[in-house]
Amino acid sequence: MITRDVIGKLPELHQASLLEPGPKRAFIGAYGFEPRAIGWCNRQNARGGVLNAAFMFRYLNPKGPNRIEELKSALVKLGASKPHVIRYDILLPQPSEDAVMEEINVDAFDEIVVDISAMTKLLILLVLFRIRTFTGRVRIVYSEAEEYCPTREAYDPISGQMASTARFPSRGAEQIVRLQCLSSIRMQGQPVTLVAFASFNEKLVSHMLGTLSPHRLILINGKPPRPEYSWRERATLDIHRRLCLEYGNDNPLDDRGLLVRVASTLDYRESLTELEAIYEEFGLFERIICGATGSKMQTVGLLLFKLLRPEVQVEYPTPDSYYFKDLSKGIREVHEVVFPNFYAFVRELSTDY
């Protein structure tokens, strides 16, 4: 179980560094349409020579006009003159597993910058799994938006009206994606415990319930770190309240009426801690399947949990939301988590369990 000593070994999230030339450095990112897709590159302020190569995912079904030329120009100024492009079909992601494993070759580099800001959660899982054996420095960078959708002014008038939430970050769920690298054949035949993160799309979880028929559902709510977004913790609980009542024994509430199991939407360490606590309680006799339904940084915690607990299976319910625009506005801060030796970190952490 994760103790304070173990938590102390987990790198903290902090403001992204201004890099200097020197290490042979690769960048892995995606051509997104939101301003934060280019947040890290802009923060580097065209500091030439800080990058030697770039691997970029290009969405075949973009939500909006992606900032391809703008991001290409920024990468060139930083030193990555000819990004290696990997085509990614959001509506048919399974073939991308092979592309990620084959086309991202980072063995020759000293350092990797992984910008998850414009990546889908499935891409985050795939890329971080691909580099799990990388022995150099890994920087996971994330540009936090200034404003997230929905705003409270937009949400409050329709609070409690589930049909109306189709306007918000995701609408329903199209399919559940199961990738080989995130699967597990262990504990087959045992009762299934489904673990998922609460969001503004309850159908992501209910779709998994209908497909998996688990005997237990455990929800982890998200807690935004910014006070002005604290209302979202209760809102996402209200959206999942029907499920919380149906699986009440496994989703206790605190004295404020909020879910006891909660993790920061920004600090990946809290997600890892909650997931490990659930595993300690149920993982010995039950098969744990986790749904990648949380925030991007919660997904980082989920992937680390998968690396530390290979017997856990991770699945991705694809939201029907790819033509919805303006999910976020502006850039508030560019964050990073630095692992000096990613492979050594994962190995060392696993010995503490």
Side-chain angles (χ1 to χ4, degrees), residues 258-270:
L258 297 174
L259 280 170
V260 170
R261 292 188 180 91
V262 63
S264 167
T265 54
L266 188 60
D267 190 340
Y268 76 99
R269 298 175 300 175
E270 294 187 13

Side-chain angles (χ1 to χ4, degrees), residues 10-259:
L10 303 175
E12 294 183 5
L13 198 74
H14 55 78
Q15 186 181 53
S17 305
L18 295 176
L19 302 183
E20 298 289 345
K24 192 173 182 182
R25 189 178 288 124
F27 178 88
I28 305 176
Y31 291 121
F33 72 97
E34 296 176 291
R36 56 184 175 153
I38 201 167
W40 182 86
C41 287
N42 282 347
R43 172 162 173 72
Q44 297 305 312
N45 196 25
R47 300 162 71 88
V50 302
L51 294 179
N52 301 94
F55 301 87
M56 297 299 299
F57 290 93
R58 182 168 183 170
Y59 296 118
L60 300 185
N61 299 279
K63 300 178 185 179
N66 284 346
R67 299 169 179 263
I68 297 176
E69 296 306 318
E70 185 180 359
L71 193 46
K72 275 185 179 179
S73 176
L75 290 170
V76 168
K77 291 177 182 178
L78 295 176
S81 58
K82 191 176 181 181
H84 179 89
V85 177
I86 304 171
R87 295 161 66 87
Y88 182 76
D89 190 343
I90 290 173
L91 302 179
L92 190 64
Q94 285 88 346
S96 296
E97 180 176 9
D98 292 334
V100 169
M101 301 305 169
E102 294 172 4
E103 297 190 44
I104 295 182
N105 185 357
V106 294
D107 295 338
F109 297 95
D110 305 311
E111 183 174 310
I112 307 172
V113 177
V114 182
D115 190 344
I116 67 172
S117 307
M119 290 186 184
T120 67
K121 281 166 276 191
L122 187 63
L123 259 184
I124 295 171
L125 293 166
L126 273 173
V127 169
L128 294 183
F129 186 88
R130 169 62 185 88
I131 66 172
R132 69 195 185 282
T133 58
F134 181 67
T135 57
R137 179 182 288 107
V138 170
R139 298 178 188 271
I140 300 176
V141 300
Y142 171 69
S143 295
E144 178 188 1
E146 187 66 50
E147 181 179 314
Y148 287 94
C149 175
T151 63
R152 188 165 192 175
E153 291 74 18
Y155 175 78
D156 280 351
I158 62 164
S159 175
Q161 303 175 42
M162 281 305 303
S164 299
T165 61
R167 294 188 297 148
F168 292 144
S170 50
R171 308 188 305 265
E174 288 190 336
Q175 61 176 315
I176 294 178
V177 180
R178 299 182 177 97
L179 300 180
Q180 183 177 355
C181 67
L182 303 176
S183 297
S184 173
I185 61 173
R186 301 183 190 178
M187 305 291 285
Q188 295 283 350
Q190 296 298 104
V192 171
T193 289
L194 173 62
V195 182
F197 294 88
S199 69
F200 278 90
N201 185 358
E202 181 265 357
K203 292 189 181 299
L204 295 176
V205 180
S206 61
H207 186 41
M208 294 191 74
L209 285 171
T211 302
L212 299 172
S213 299
H215 87 116
R216 190 190 311 277
L217 167 67
I218 297 176
L219 289 170
I220 301 173
N221 206 357
K223 184 175 183 179
R226 292 156 59 181
E228 63 268 33
Y229 282 111
S230 61
W231 63 271
R232 295 167 75 96
E233 182 180 354
R234 188 171 296 278
T236 49
L237 168 62
D238 288 342
I239 288 171
H240 292 76
R241 192 168 294 280
R242 175 183 64 85
L243 299 179
C244 289
L245 292 173
E246 185 175 348
Y247 295 88
N249 290 337
D250 297 308
N251 293 284
L253 304 180
D254 62 19
D255 55 7
R256 300 170 298 162
L258 297 174
L259 280 170

